[in-house]
């Protein structure tokens, strides 16, 4: 296999280029490509568990890390390498590693770095499974945690202890789109020598690149926008060479949350259209958010680029767009929310997001059902709230579908 060579003339793109100097759209199509001796145009899928060595001596050198090359696909694989390298170029990170799922990425990012006696500060507004890792799993290994109002920068400072080693947060958060000021919180972490880990799944690297704002590590559920078509599970962790090589790589190698080559290949090919999909989804989401505000029976609509968004200034500072998730609050509580969901024809009921198909879920009874009613209320997750994930359908069709569902919610 040969890695792509660097070229400096963007008008004549060598198909062997590593794309380091190219614009984002070009990186999404060409970045990280490896080609076999057959010089295939599309990136190859290497469905193999192991690799053959030329000699016993070569095998020994590989396992001693004295010679580069592949050993076993739990450790690394050519197709996975291409996906990791393309994500690295997209995010602007030094290194990246892919995982089997988004939650494998989150769990690996935290547990590879932390040890018994350490303390984590995390935003309370996050996906239910992420809260499980911080609140339930970490304490089993002697790692304590404090949850804070992530939007309050002072709260992060006040939660710091002498043994605080890591900050963790989502921004925008699931499902309310609550934001954390990445630069301000990362600066606090740097002052105390802690690592900042950001779950950037709602924004995608097309709208927000946390490392540019001071974060150390970024995690994704590649299952969402990166695949974008509801097919495969996957995750990615990106960060410095020191963090990836000294902490994460060995953890993944020895514990095995590795992505399959097939899933990595699907994600790799999906990245080619990520910019186009996210741009179209954001445009439609912004239009539908404005449309929903004017409908009877709708209490409130949240969208980061709207002037009435509670943290509009933070969004403007660190995001290039509002994303494709739209939280909607309906009059009538759970009954109205269920009528809304059941009244939709185009938009499908599913707890996934980032798909080409528009999806909707009721967070209080799905993604955040494990939280107590008080905890949900504190986060702004009411029984009348629904979370829309806007896809690639015609905007007028979606607007009509939403109008129909709002009428059903009022009946």
């Amino acid at each position: 296999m040969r890695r792509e060579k660097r070229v400096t003339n963007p008008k004549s793109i060598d198909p062997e280029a590593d794309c380091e100097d190219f614009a984002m759209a070009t990186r999404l199509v060409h970045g990280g490509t490896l080609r076999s001796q057959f010089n295939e145009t599309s990136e190859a899928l290497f469905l193999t568990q192991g690799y053959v060595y030329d000699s016993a001596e070569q095998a020994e050198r590989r396992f001693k890390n004295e010679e580069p090359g592949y050993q076993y696909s739990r450790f690394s694989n050519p197709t996975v390498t291409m996906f990791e390298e393309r994500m690295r170029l997209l995010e602007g990170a030094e290194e990246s590693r892919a995982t089997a799922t988004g939650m494998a990425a989150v769990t690996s990012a935290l547990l590879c770095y932390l040890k018994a006696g350490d303390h984590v500060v995390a935003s309370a507004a996050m996906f239910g499974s992420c809260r499980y890792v911080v609140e339930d799993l970490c304490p089993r290994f002697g790692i304590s945690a404090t949850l804070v109002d992530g939007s309050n920068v002072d709260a992060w400072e006040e939660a710091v202890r002498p043994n605080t080693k890591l900050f963790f947060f989502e921004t925008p958060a699931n499902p309310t789109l609550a934001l954390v000021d990445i630069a301000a919180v990362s600066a606090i972490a740097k002052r105390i020598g802690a690592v900042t880990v950001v779950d950037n799944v709602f924004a995608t690297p097309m709208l927000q690149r946390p490392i540019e704002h001071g974060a150390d590590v970024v995690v994704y559920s590649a299952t969402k926008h990166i695949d974008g078509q509801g097919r495969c599970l996957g995750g990615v962790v990106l960060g410095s060479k020191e963090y990836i090589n000294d902490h994460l790589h060995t953890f993944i190698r020895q514990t095995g949350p590795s992505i399959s080559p097939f899933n990595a290949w699907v994600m790799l090919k999906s990245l080619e259209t990520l910019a186009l999909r996210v741009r179209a989804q954001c445009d439609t989401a912004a239009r539908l958010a404005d449309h929903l505000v004017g409908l009877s029976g709708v209490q409130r609509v949240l969208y980061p680029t709207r002037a009435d968004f509670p943290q509009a200034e933070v969004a403007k500072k660190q995001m290039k767009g509002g994303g494709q998730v739209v939280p909607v609050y309906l009059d009538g509580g759970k009954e109205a929310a269920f009528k809304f969901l059941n009244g939709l024809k185009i938009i499908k009921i599913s707890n996934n997001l980032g798909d080409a198909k528009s999806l909707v879920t009721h967070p209080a009874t799905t993604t955040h059902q494990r939280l107590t009613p008080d905890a949900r209320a504190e986060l702004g997750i009411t029984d009348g709230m629904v979370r829309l994930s806007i896809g690639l359908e015609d905007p007028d069709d979606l607007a009509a579908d939403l109008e129909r569902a709002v009428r059903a919610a009022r009946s």
Side-chain angles (χ1 to χ4, degrees):
M1 303 293 294
R2 4 179 244 279
R3 279 198 180 278
E4 303 209 355
K5 300 177 295 185
R6 178 185 297 275
V7 295
T8 56
N9 181 5
K11 294 182 180 178
S12 177
I13 299 174
D14 186 329
E16 309 261 80
D18 69 2
C19 295
E20 195 83 46
D21 298 327
F22 296 150
M24 195 63 67
T26 306
R27 295 183 188 188
L28 285 166
V29 176
H30 294 283
T33 300
L34 299 171
R35 285 193 170 86
S36 74
Q37 67 271 31
F38 301 110
N39 285 318
E40 60 280 346
T41 302
S42 179
E43 295 82 353
L45 168 56
F46 290 88
L47 282 178
T48 184
Q49 299 168 339
Y51 305 86
V52 175
Y53 308 105
D54 294 335
S55 65
E57 289 79 7
Q58 184 186 55
E60 180 183 30
R61 291 193 300 273
R62 292 272 180 92
F63 273 80
K64 285 183 173 180
N65 290 323
E66 294 174 353
E67 176 182 298
Y70 295 97
Q71 304 165 41
Y72 190 58
S73 284
R74 188 178 83 242
F75 310 161
S76 57
N77 170 281
T79 306
V80 175
T81 297
M82 286 189 274
F83 174 53
E84 291 171 339
E85 176 63 7
R86 192 165 294 179
M87 282 299 305
R88 184 194 73 78
L89 288 165
L90 177 57
E91 191 67 38
E94 292 181 356
E95 291 283 350
S96 73
R97 291 293 182 272
T99 60
T101 68
M103 284 313 305
V106 170
T107 305
S108 298
L110 271 59
L111 293 186
C112 79
Y113 188 80
L114 298 167
K115 64 182 185 305
D118 289 345
H119 174 245
V120 177
V121 182
S123 174
M126 56 181 160
F127 179 48
S129 294
C130 292
R131 280 191 62 144
Y132 167 80
V133 171
V134 172
E135 285 188 299
D136 296 349
L137 185 61
C138 282
R140 295 184 189 180
F141 297 95
I143 303 163
S144 58
T146 301
L147 298 183
V148 299
D149 174 1
S151 64
N152 182 349
V153 175
D154 292 338
W156 292 90
E157 189 89 61
E158 293 165 2
V160 169
R161 301 176 187 173
N163 59 334
T164 300
K165 300 298 181 184
L166 188 142
F167 284 2
F168 174 61
F169 56 87
E170 302 171 8
T171 184
N174 187 1
T176 61
L177 305 186
L179 303 183
V180 175
D181 187 325
I182 301 172
V185 172
S186 297
I188 296 171
K190 281 180 168 50
R191 282 204 305 272
I192 65 169
V195 166
T196 301
V197 179
V198 179
D199 184 338
N200 198 43
V201 67
F202 270 42
T204 81
M206 305 313 303
L207 304 180
Q208 178 175 273
R209 301 209 295 178
I211 290 173
E212 293 179 350
H213 298 280
D216 301 293
V217 180
V218 181
V219 295
Y220 288 100
S221 171
T223 308
K224 308 303 190 293
H225 307 79
I226 292 170
D227 174 22
Q229 292 162 76
R231 298 165 298 189
C232 292
L233 302 176
V236 191
V237 184
L238 304 105
S240 67
K241 288 183 178 180
E242 179 184 5
Y243 170 86
I244 299 293
N245 296 329
D246 293 353
H247 301 283
L248 183 66
H249 181 74
T250 299
F251 183 90
I252 291 177
R253 175 175 175 141
Q254 303 299 344
T255 62
S258 312
I259 192 171
S260 79
F262 178 80
N263 287 18
W265 180 80
V266 171
M267 305 294 180
L268 178 70
K269 300 305 293 179
S270 295
L271 282 174
E272 296 178 356
T273 61
L274 179 65
L276 301 174
R277 289 185 281 110
V278 170
R279 185 182 308 122
Q281 289 168 319
C282 287
D283 289 346
T284 302
R287 174 178 166 181
L288 293 176
D290 291 341
H291 184 70
L292 282 162
V293 168
L295 299 182
S296 174
V298 174
Q299 283 183 359
R300 188 184 187 198
V301 176
L302 295 174
Y303 194 69
T305 59
R306 282 184 54 84
D308 59 358
F309 185 70
Q311 296 172 280
E313 290 305 312
V314 177
K316 192 179 300 182
K317 180 171 73 169
Q318 63 191 31
M319 296 180 69
K320 297 177 181 177
Q324 49 84 237
V325 173
V326 183
V328 180
Y329 292 79
L330 301 165
D331 292 328
K334 178 181 174 181
E335 181 181 359
F338 275 29
K339 287 181 178 179
F340 177 90
L341 267 63
N342 294 335
L344 292 162
K345 296 189 181 301
I346 298 173
I347 301 172
K348 305 305 180 186
I349 302 172
S350 174
N351 49 283
N352 199 17
L353 60 93
D355 199 285
K357 296 178 176 65
S358 292
L359 307 173
V360 65
T361 194
H362 184 245
T365 56
T366 58
T367 57
H368 291 71
Q369 57 81 27
R370 67 177 293 271
L371 301 183
T372 65
D374 286 345
R376 287 197 296 270
E378 184 180 340
L379 297 176
I381 304 170
T382 69
D383 286 344
M385 177 197 188
V386 298
R387 187 195 73 192
L388 291 167
S389 170
I390 303 304
L392 296 174
E393 300 93 343
D394 183 86
D396 290 335
D397 287 341
L398 292 177
D401 201 31
L402 291 169
E403 289 177 8
R404 182 168 46 244
V406 171
R407 288 195 299 271
R410 295 199 308 262
S411 63

